[in-house]
Amino acid sequence: MGCGGCRVRFNFGKVLSKVSVFLTMVLIFTYFFYCLTGFCDSAPRTVYSHQASYYDTLDDPRPSPRLLPDAPHHRNPTDSVDAAQVDTPAQRLPPRTPDSATKSDGIPVSNSFGTKRFPQALIVGVKKGGTRALLEFLRIHPDVRAVGAEPHFFDRFYDKGLEWYRSLMPRTLDGQITMEKTPSYFVTKEAPSRVCSMNCRAKLIVVVRDPVTRAVSDYTQTLSKNPGLPSFQSLALKNTTTGLIDTTWSAVRIGLYAKHLENWLQHFPLSHFLFVSGERLVSDPAWEMGRVQDFLGLKRVVSDKHFYFNQTKGFPCLKKPEGSSRPRCLGKSKGRPHPEIPSEVLQTLRDFYRPFNHRFYQMSGQDFGWD
């Protein structure tokens, strides 16, 4: 009897052990089954907020991959039927939180949000006028998403097609403006009609600068890449004795703002343009940025609190953001010292540009005071 009771207790222990092993195997199998079918992805995970800073893009012209912070959204008056017809439906997403900006390993995931749209606003000119500074100042604004590099679509790569062009654009959410800047558009004859074929309601920003100073700056940039370049005066003047200006030289031709604007006004009304003073963008960037934000229908976010003047470079820089070790300025190519140009050559150029400048003042409704 005693031994029989021992056997019963022993057999019960073996059964209990087998049941435990079986249940454990069932639980493991169930876990793997749910993981394989994707249900594990819905499990809560710890997400660390990592907001990429705008200032990290100043010296890097490539488009920023970051997800911009939330800001009050405004209806963008520049949206057009033309652009909407070829746009894909916006991806419907749940409300964003600060933690949704990146994965837990700190990798930006903004490229999975929003929709790629054609630009509603373009900085179309001019070279060496201050277009890079304007673009980077604008990228501080949470409702602006812009391509960092110059696409050159409407002057060089138009044959690639509009869908190729749109693929270059950053993704935007409702209420954000897509922008790009290519300063050579302003002087490209075919550019106005091509831009209008994309969106005749686009807003156009032209950064202009004293055409004489601009020409010298243009020459300085080319000289830095080609030290064997002939002198400025030999390129600017067809004949040094008569003082005849060579308008075929691009550094001179770009400064004929009135002629280029006439070409654009054949396709866009003057109300679609904002002319930004390159000089004032340096001396008072906050004031000029206020005008730009108003023109784009944006809330005034970029203000004097964002800027300080760098005496060494001679340009305004952006104050360092919270958590950054230093402020950020534009790249080393900005603020190069200009070569010495004979004063009589500069005066000849000023005399040449004067009637064109006055004509441009009349057309734009602004006196830039270059004379």
Side-chain angles (χ1 to χ4, degrees), residues 186-358:
F186 191 59
V187 299
T188 301
K189 185 178 180 180
E190 300 81 10
S193 62
R194 291 172 175 178
V195 173
C196 188
S197 68
M198 175 196 71
N199 182 3
C200 283
R201 297 172 62 189
K203 293 196 172 186
L204 308 166
I205 300 176
V206 186
V207 189
V208 289
R209 183 183 181 188
D210 183 333
V212 177
T213 309
R214 197 222 65 81
V216 175
S217 180
D218 196 340
Y219 171 79
T220 303
Q221 182 182 55
T222 307
L223 185 65
S224 68
K225 300 174 183 177
N226 182 10
L229 198 68
S231 67
F232 178 87
Q233 51 268 36
S234 65
L235 293 170
L237 303 178
K238 286 184 178 180
N239 190 309
T240 55
T241 304
T242 61
L244 187 64
I245 302 297
D246 188 354
T247 57
T248 62
W249 185 34
S250 64
V252 169
R253 181 168 45 83
I254 290 173
L256 302 174
Y257 304 142
K259 284 190 169 294
H260 303 309
L261 181 56
E262 285 174 355
N263 186 33
W264 281 86
L265 290 178
Q266 294 179 23
H267 302 273
F268 292 89
L270 188 62
S271 60
H272 283 218
F273 290 86
L274 178 70
F275 302 98
V276 175
S277 167
E279 288 84 5
R280 183 164 282 181
L281 195 60
V282 171
S283 64
D284 193 353
W287 191 89
E288 204 69 8
M289 288 304 300
R291 293 180 63 237
V292 174
Q293 291 169 97
D294 291 346
F295 174 71
L296 295 175
L298 297 170
K299 180 180 178 181
R300 287 199 176 194
V301 171
V302 185
S303 65
D304 54 3
K305 69 181 181 181
H306 292 97
F307 303 101
Y308 83 97
F309 193 79
N310 185 303
Q311 296 291 344
T312 303
K313 293 182 72 68
F315 279 93
C317 295
L318 295 168
K319 293 179 181 178
K320 65 179 180 180
E322 199 172 316
S324 176
S325 60
R326 61 187 178 90
R328 298 300 299 272
C329 290
L330 295 174
K332 296 178 181 178
S333 64
K334 307 301 178 183
R336 295 188 187 97
H338 291 180
E340 284 291 330
I341 309 294
S343 58
E344 59 271 19
V345 175
L346 297 178
Q347 187 58 51
T348 301
L349 270 178
R350 290 191 186 95
D351 295 339
F352 166 76
Y353 278 121
R354 187 170 294 110
F356 294 101
N357 291 344
H358 288 170

Side-chain angles (χ1 to χ4, degrees), residues 106-119:
I107 299 174
V109 295
S110 64
N111 60 355
S112 64
F113 289 80
T115 304
K116 292 194 174 190
R117 299 180 173 91
F118 292 122

